[in-house]
Amino acid sequence: MPSIYIVPAWLEENHDLEFLRLRISEVFRKKTVIYESKKIDFHSIYNPSRKQYNSSQFLIQLLNNHPKDALRILGVTDVDLFIPILTFVFGEAQLNGIAGVVSVHRLNNKFYGLPENEELLRKRLIKEAIHELGHTYGLVHCLTPGCVMNSSTYVEDIDEKSEFFCSYCSSVIRG
């Protein structure tokens, strides 16, 4: 059965992603599996001048090493991601593709010098994971207030949106 695969790719800390697996399974109504892959080469995607990791190259590694029955594949990491035209990204995905990535690095309060808040971190990760997977279904950034497909430039933008699709975006996901 084709599945959505969540691929943990930790460099520093391991995080339990069962909550994310359950929520993605509910939202997309697809079997969702946590898939341990040791094939992410962080060294090759690291940019020492930026002290960040190239998210597009992370995507390519996921695409080159995904299970054959992957409906979608989502890499989840704790490293700071970038694309060359932006200072940083919370995540990146292929529009109408199968792969996306998301990082907890800038979703975590400790990045901003604030007290850690595990519940808030989980909510942010769920929103960004659903957002990136939404792109793989062909959704672009949505202007409907609160839709999970709203663009997020800052972490506060993530906190302001919901983890749900608006009616239009939901109809695209449902086909």
Side-chain angles (χ1 to χ4, degrees):
M1 168 187 287
S3 303
I4 296 175
Y5 286 92
I6 298 172
V7 180
W10 309 124
L11 192 57
E12 295 180 7
E13 298 178 38
N14 286 325
H15 299 267
D16 178 9
L17 296 178
E18 182 62 16
F19 72 95
L20 184 61
R21 186 193 68 76
L22 292 171
R23 189 66 190 125
I24 287 173
S25 179
E26 290 172 0
V27 170
F28 293 95
R29 299 178 186 172
K30 302 292 182 194
K31 180 181 175 189
T32 303
V33 176
I34 295 176
Y35 177 75
E36 299 290 339
S37 174
K38 305 294 183 198
K39 296 183 178 178
I40 304 301
D41 177 12
F42 284 106
H43 180 73
S44 68
I45 66 173
Y46 183 68
N47 182 316
S49 64
R50 296 180 67 129
K51 298 180 180 171
Q52 293 176 302
Y53 296 81
N54 187 309
S55 64
S56 300
Q57 293 175 5
F58 184 12
L59 270 176
I60 290 169
Q61 289 191 31
L62 283 175
L63 288 166
N64 289 336
N65 298 295
H66 68 78
K68 300 292 182 221
D69 68 337
L71 179 65
R72 299 285 189 280
I73 186 164
L74 179 72
V76 182
T77 189
D78 58 355
V79 300
D80 196 14
L81 297 175
F82 78 97
I83 58 174
I85 62 169
L86 295 174
T87 306
F88 71 91
V89 292
F90 297 116
E92 180 182 0
Q94 296 177 294
L95 190 62
N96 283 316
I98 69 163
V101 297
V102 64
S103 171
V104 299
H105 187 81
R106 291 179 187 251
L107 303 180
N108 196 330
N109 270 356
K110 75 179 181 183
F111 177 80
Y112 305 98
L114 299 171
E116 291 197 43
N117 183 330
E118 188 65 29
E119 183 62 27
L120 183 59
L121 176 60
R122 286 180 175 213
K123 286 181 181 178
R124 289 172 176 167
L125 179 56
I126 287 170
K127 291 176 187 179
E128 288 308 293
I130 292 170
H131 178 95
E132 297 305 337
L133 287 170
H135 286 312
T136 67
Y137 283 82
L139 291 172
V140 296
H141 289 149
C142 179
L143 298 178
T144 302
C147 178
V148 74
M149 292 309 297
N150 289 169
S151 176
S152 299
T153 303
Y154 303 102
V155 73
E156 292 85 358
D157 298 332
I158 299 169
D159 294 340
E160 290 179 6
K161 66 184 178 183
S162 78
E163 66 181 71
F164 301 101
F165 293 106
C166 68
S167 59
Y168 171 76
C169 291
S170 184
S171 70
V172 171
I173 296 296
R174 301 286 172 251

